[in-house]
Amino acid sequence: MNKEQFQTLLQFFKALADESRLKILGILANQECSVEELAALMQLKEPTVSHHLAKLRELNLVTMRPEGNSRIYQLDSEVLQRISKEIFTTEQLASVIEDVDTEAWESKVLKNYLELEQTSTEVVQRLKEIPASRKKRLVILKWLANKFESGVNYSEHDVNDILKTYHPDYATLRRELVGYHLMQRENGVYWRL
């Protein structure tokens, strides 16, 4: 999403984050109205309605035409549809987080559940405990799955040896890796998916 589209999205949500403006749009979706009519329908003062209409006009969501001494407002459904097509797509909304670290939560889980341990030959990250939360457990299991090479078959003994490096309850971890479909097992042979 480019900067201009992001600003439009932000203005759109700011404008519609007000109950009165939403109701005004709802009324104008059904009929044209003057400020006086909207004020009566909404039970608001005319200057308040004019303020809300000005906010909606900034986004071009409403149009105004003079009629005698009054100004008649209506919803511009084409602009609403254009904004919807251009900005309210799954892809566009997903692109809002381009500058957000989407792995920050996983990094925090790993930091909380892993500790460094000095062995006789090296420093190894070890699992302090197996998380009880399924979501946190999945983060840990994905981390463990990456300790196995893709396309390589492992015996159960090899899997146990690798997992023992990270936590003493290797049997549970082995079952969980298979249960979460991060590894496959057939006839005592394991491989990473």
Side-chain angles (χ1 to χ4, degrees), residues 4 41 43 59 72 76 92 94 102 104 118 129 144 162 173:
E4 182 181 312
L41 289 169
Q43 298 179 351
L59 287 170
I72 304 299
D76 190 335
Q92 287 287 34
T102 56
Q118 177 72 46
E129 62 181 296
L144 284 170
I162 292 169
L173 293 173

Side-chain angles (χ1 to χ4, degrees), residues 14 36 47 56 59 66 69 73 85 94 105 113 121 161 165 180 189:
K14 282 181 180 179
E36 297 82 17
L56 295 171
L59 287 170
N69 291 337
Y73 292 87
K85 286 180 183 174
W105 184 79
Y113 282 91
T121 57
D161 283 346
T165 308
Y180 277 81
V189 176

Side-chain angles (χ1 to χ4, degrees), residues 81-92:
Q81 288 174 356
R82 181 181 51 78
I83 290 174
S84 178
K85 286 180 183 174
E86 289 177 10
I87 297 177
F88 290 116
T89 64
T90 304
E91 295 80 19
Q92 287 287 34

Side-chain angles (χ1 to χ4, degrees), residues 42-184:
M42 299 283 300
Q43 298 179 351
L44 295 172
K45 295 184 181 195
E46 290 179 22
T48 303
V49 171
S50 293
H51 168 76
H52 290 311
L53 287 168
K55 292 289 186 187
L56 295 171
R57 284 189 70 195
E58 286 175 13
L59 287 170
N60 299 317
L61 288 172
V62 296
T63 58
M64 182 272 301
R65 66 178 168 75
E67 189 176 277
N69 291 337
S70 296
R71 294 181 178 153
I72 304 299
Y73 292 87
Q74 67 182 20
L75 173 69
D76 190 335
S77 57
E78 289 179 14
V79 170
L80 189 60
Q81 288 174 356
R82 181 181 51 78
I83 290 174
S84 178
K85 286 180 183 174
E86 289 177 10
I87 297 177
F88 290 116
T89 64
T90 304
E91 295 80 19
Q92 287 287 34
L93 289 174
S95 71
V96 169
I97 62 161
E98 288 174 345
D99 60 345
V100 173
D101 181 4
T102 56
E103 296 178 8
W105 184 79
E106 290 182 0
S107 297
K108 181 181 177 190
V109 170
L110 289 172
K111 183 179 176 187
N112 288 339
Y113 282 91
L114 297 177
E115 63 187 354
L116 293 177
E117 186 175 290
Q118 177 72 46
T119 67
S120 58
T121 57
E122 61 185 342
V123 176
V124 177
Q125 280 188 307
R126 291 189 44 89
L127 185 58
K128 294 180 200 175
E129 62 181 296
I130 300 172
S133 157
R134 291 182 54 81
K135 194 170 180 183
K136 291 177 182 177
R137 186 178 308 163
L138 180 58
V139 171
I140 295 300
L141 292 171
K142 284 180 180 178
W143 176 78
L144 284 170
N146 285 324
K147 306 304 178 190
F148 297 88
E149 293 182 43
S150 291
V152 174
N153 290 337
Y154 296 90
S155 69
E156 188 168 304
H157 183 323
D158 292 338
V159 171
N160 291 345
D161 283 346
I162 292 169
L163 293 175
K164 272 187 224 178
T165 308
Y166 303 103
H167 193 269
D169 191 358
Y170 56 86
T172 297
L173 293 173
R174 186 185 67 238
R175 282 192 305 273
E176 292 287 295
L177 285 167
V178 172
Y180 277 81
H181 303 290
L182 297 169
M183 292 190 81
Q184 183 72 43

